[in-house]
């Protein structure tokens, strides 16, 4: 029983970390690239200088972490988790290594978001947060509607 409970809890933790790693876990509802959209730039009243700084930082990030690379890494990560869970004995060291991979990627993303936030004024940050909250509320409302169908 104890071994089964441990396996279930760990598999849940791994699943949640992999979802966050894939970008589907708890996070802001808009990615950093949204600041490059005309609509958001207009709503936040970004200056040309701010738009240039944002663009440069995002391009630097994308050159270091290409989009397709993340998908391949996630597929490998998922396969490694599956193999780990199918083993007869649990390898905690391997599990910790898998979890730390996702953590490193999220850390880089958090640093980018922080850098981008520093470009914005206080009013722009507040406005962006309000947009994110509204979008999150719409997203949750839609999910709740889908659940009620079952």
């Amino acid at each position: 029983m104890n071994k089964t409970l441990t396996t279930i809890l760990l598999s849940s933790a791994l699943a949640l970390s992999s979802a966050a790693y894939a970008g589907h876990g708890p996070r802001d509802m808009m990615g950093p690239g949204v600041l490059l959209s005309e609509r958001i730039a207009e709503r936040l009243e970004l200056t040309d200088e701010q738009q240039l700084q944002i663009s440069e930082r995002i391009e630097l990030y994308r050159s270091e972490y290409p989009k397709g690379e993340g998908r391949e890494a996630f597929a490998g990560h998922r396969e490694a988790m599956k193999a780990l869970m199918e083993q007869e004995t649990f390898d905690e060291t391997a599990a910790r290594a898998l979890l730390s991979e996702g953590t490193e990627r999220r850390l880089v993303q958090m640093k980018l978001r922080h850098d981008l936030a520093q470009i914005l004024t206080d009013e722009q940050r507040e406005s962006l947060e309000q947009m994110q909250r509204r979008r999150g509320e719409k997203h949750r409302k839609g999910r709740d509607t889908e659940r009620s169908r079952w």
Side-chain angles (χ1 to χ4, degrees):
M1 169 93 177
N2 211 7
K3 191 174 184 179
T4 304
L5 181 60
T6 302
T7 302
I8 291 170
L9 289 174
L10 189 55
S11 63
S12 297
L14 287 171
L16 289 173
S17 70
S18 65
Y21 181 70
H24 299 295
R27 63 185 175 104
D28 289 336
M29 296 308 293
M30 294 189 262
V34 75
L35 292 174
L36 296 177
S37 77
E38 271 185 54
R39 189 170 136 237
I40 298 296
E42 285 176 15
R43 288 175 105 185
L44 294 177
E45 299 177 0
L46 296 177
T47 66
D48 290 340
E49 179 65 26
Q50 285 176 313
Q51 290 180 31
L52 181 62
Q53 289 176 340
I54 289 168
S55 180
E56 288 172 350
R57 296 226 175 110
I58 290 175
E59 284 305 313
L60 178 63
Y61 170 80
R62 287 180 178 164
S63 69
E64 291 179 22
Y65 303 97
K67 197 172 196 171
E69 189 176 283
R71 291 173 193 229
E72 292 168 9
F74 178 68
H77 189 262
R78 186 176 50 236
E79 289 301 316
M81 282 191 334
K82 184 177 177 184
L84 179 68
M85 296 311 295
E86 291 173 352
Q87 291 178 356
E88 191 170 309
T89 59
F90 185 74
D91 184 352
E92 187 172 335
T93 305
R96 289 182 186 278
L98 284 172
L99 291 171
S100 70
E101 288 175 20
T103 302
E104 286 303 312
R105 179 70 174 202
R106 295 294 294 161
L107 177 64
V108 170
Q109 292 171 345
M110 287 175 66
K111 286 169 73 173
L112 173 64
R113 286 176 185 265
H114 180 267
D115 286 349
L116 296 178
Q118 301 314 303
I119 295 170
L120 304 176
T121 65
D122 291 338
E123 294 82 18
Q124 289 169 330
R125 277 193 293 270
E126 178 60 32
S127 182
L128 183 62
E129 287 175 21
Q130 287 175 358
M131 285 184 236
Q132 290 171 333
R133 275 194 297 270
R134 281 193 301 266
R135 182 177 170 140
E137 289 167 4
K138 282 183 180 178
H139 181 72
R140 279 188 294 281
K141 185 178 179 183
R143 258 194 340 220
D144 291 343
T145 303
E146 285 179 23
R147 287 183 186 154
S148 67
R149 292 181 195 161
W150 296 100

